[in-house]
Amino acid sequence: MLNTLLELLAMGFRIRHRVILAAVVASLLTGCGDDEGLDSRSAPVEIEEADLAAVAETYAKLVYRSYQASLSSAEALQASIETFIARPSDATLDMAKRAWLTARDDYGPTEAFRFYDGPIDNPDDGPEGQINAWPMDEAYVDYVQDHPTSGIINNPATTPQITAKVLTAANEQGGETNISTGWHAIEFLLWGQDLSATGPGTRPVSDYTTAANAERRKTYLSLLAKQLTADLAQVSAPWAPGGEYRTEFLRHPRQAVQNLLRGIGALSAGELAGERMAVAFETKDQEDEHSCFSDNTNADIHNNAIGIRRVYLAEGVEGMSPSDLVAKFNPKLDTKLRAELDESVSLIAAFPTTFDHMIGAAEGTAEHHAFAAALRAIETQGETIAEAANALGLKISISV
């Protein structure tokens, strides 16, 4: 399937809009996730309810522990931002940036807990769009090159008061790139636009001292940090022992295992290989990389891949893992999938340069090859996750 995509790219295939390319990529990646196809191929296995319950319980422990770690580092980020706002300097700005990078490392693996309408993706009140929406039109928030008065911050006439309610209401209002909250809005307010060919953005401290609308910028950044911790607390609490969502999740072990495999399969093939890598590989546009202001996208991808492997192996928690369960019915398939997960993580860790340089690299170069190899590996592991679900007689889709 990925080969088909790469062949189209090599032939000069061009899609003008992200949503169209995402649909094309999804159509190429969902063969193993087709509901009807998987249903017809499902193996007639009989899984003990106790095993399903054990895997679900282990997963719930992992989810809560991971979200708690993410919340803790987000709180540290908030404290660093408050210190910077109170005493703006190169040193405190650098401290806030380092806190963002650390917190981002803790958040990345938690994206493996998405794509089945859990607390983060709940269609009624899930805050994922406020937490991690992208790509971001930075001019929606603050000034950009050649437009010194753009953005909410620089328009007190249209937005007299900058409040949490105003910022959350503005998020994705009028367009999916109108991002006003979350990781990437904070990232932009710390680093500024990335206009450098060799490094991240270099927002000056003066933006928070003597520049126009400095106080509004401070207020905006402070509110974003508080909102991020509030949103992560909202996601974490339902997974606590005795939490409402966790209790319901564990009440239906078969559905729980199906959901967790759906989460890592969809993150692998549909989201990571598709939206986050193939789109940028096609457009060669830095704006299509996940953390473009800080040049942290390599780490984003690496942490997503670590999260996928962590779920399958139940790394860091005691209990029965999905790998243990699959190995009971198809040990060769389990061995194959574990090897693929290791390969993906290793290939990403070995990226020779930053994401923006790799997507712009000429075909045949080491950079181009490294990126394509990782993309292919991540897409392949998504298909194998679907095979693993099928081996358990479960039906999942790996599209997003």
Side-chain angles (χ1 to χ4, degrees):
M1 284 181 267
L2 178 62
N3 287 337
T4 303
L5 174 61
L6 295 178
E7 287 168 6
L8 289 170
L9 296 178
M11 291 165 55
F13 183 69
R14 291 292 177 269
I15 299 294
R16 297 296 182 186
H17 302 289
R18 163 180 294 278
V19 67
I20 299 175
L21 179 56
V24 172
V25 172
S27 72
L28 293 172
L29 300 182
T30 55
C32 287
D34 180 77
D35 287 353
E36 182 178 353
L38 272 182
D39 191 44
S40 65
R41 296 193 305 272
S42 294
V45 299
E46 293 184 9
I47 308 174
E48 293 183 12
E49 189 76 4
D51 284 346
L52 291 167
V55 172
E57 178 63 41
T58 303
Y59 175 78
K61 288 191 294 185
L62 174 63
V63 173
Y64 184 59
R65 179 177 297 185
S66 300
Y67 275 136
Q68 283 291 288
S70 182
L71 176 58
S72 178
S73 58
E75 289 170 343
L77 168 61
Q78 181 183 340
S80 292
I81 284 174
E82 292 305 328
T83 297
F84 166 63
I85 289 170
R87 300 189 301 276
S89 69
D90 288 333
T92 55
L93 177 56
D94 184 62
M95 180 178 68
K97 289 178 178 179
R98 284 186 279 111
W100 186 93
L101 293 169
T102 297
R104 188 70 179 161
D105 282 346
D106 283 333
Y107 179 77
T110 72
E111 297 216 80
F113 313 142
R114 291 189 53 206
F115 307 111
Y116 53 83
D117 292 343
I120 191 166
D121 287 318
N122 185 295
D124 295 325
D125 62 358
E128 198 282 330
Q130 286 182 184
I131 294 173
N132 198 40
W134 69 286
M136 176 185 175
D137 177 4
E138 54 265 50
Y140 186 62
V141 168
D142 200 2
Y143 76 89
V144 294
Q145 188 178 47
D146 299 327
H147 295 282
T149 61
S150 65
I152 294 169
I153 287 171
N154 299 300
N155 284 281
T158 55
T159 310
Q161 297 293 323
I162 296 180
T163 65
K165 186 175 181 179
V166 166
L167 298 185
T168 55
N171 194 54
E172 297 184 298
Q173 184 180 55
E176 64 177 9
T177 64
N178 289 346
I179 308 303
S180 59
T181 65
W183 287 108
H184 301 297
I186 296 173
E187 179 193 10
F188 172 55
L189 287 180
L190 291 176
W191 273 272
Q193 279 184 290
D194 181 7
L195 302 174
S196 169
T198 58
T202 55
R203 183 184 286 276
V205 174
S206 58
D207 278 0
Y208 291 90
T209 55
T210 58
N213 298 305
E215 291 302 314
R216 284 171 63 86
R217 195 169 287 109
K218 286 181 180 179
T219 298
Y220 199 126
L221 180 58
S222 176
L223 289 172
L224 288 187
K226 292 175 184 176
Q227 187 64 52
L228 181 63
T229 57
D231 286 340
L232 289 172
Q234 176 187 333
V235 168
S236 179
W239 283 105
E244 184 177 358
Y245 184 83
R246 180 168 175 166
T247 300
E248 183 64 19
F249 182 83
L250 296 177
R251 190 173 288 130
H252 307 283
R254 185 178 183 84
Q255 183 64 51
V257 174
Q258 181 168 293
N259 283 350
L260 71 87
L261 290 172
R262 153 70 178 164
I264 60 175
L267 177 57
S268 292
E271 182 71 14
L272 190 52
E275 288 279 359
R276 301 186 183 188
M277 296 182 71
V279 168
F281 200 45
E282 155 62 12
T283 64
K284 301 190 182 301
D285 187 347
Q286 182 173 304
E287 295 293 314
D288 284 326
E289 67 165 304
H290 211 162
S291 295
C292 64
F293 311 117
S294 61
D295 275 350
N296 192 58
T297 306
N298 286 12
D300 286 342
I301 295 171
H302 189 240
N303 286 317
N304 289 168
I306 286 173
I308 294 163
R309 185 177 66 181
R310 188 174 293 171
V311 168
Y312 187 69
L313 301 179
E315 293 175 333
V317 292
E318 294 184 359
M320 189 173 189
S321 69
S323 172
D324 295 330
L325 187 59
V326 173
K328 275 194 167 188
F329 296 93
N330 193 327
K332 289 184 178 180
L333 180 59
D334 173 64
T335 298
K336 175 188 176 187
L337 180 50
R338 285 190 285 111
E340 288 175 355
L341 294 170
D342 286 342
E343 180 186 24
S344 294
V345 170
S346 296
L347 286 171
I348 298 165
F351 275 165
T353 185
T354 57
F355 187 96
D356 51 348
H357 285 185
M358 283 187 292
I359 62 174
E363 188 172 354
T365 62
E367 292 84 357
H368 184 277
H369 175 76
F371 192 93
L375 200 167
R376 184 179 294 107
I378 296 165
E379 188 268 339
T380 297
Q381 80 182 23
E383 294 177 350
T384 306
I385 290 167
E387 289 181 42
N390 187 55
L392 300 176
L394 303 176
K395 180 173 66 174
I396 70 169
S397 167
I398 55 174
S399 63
V400 294

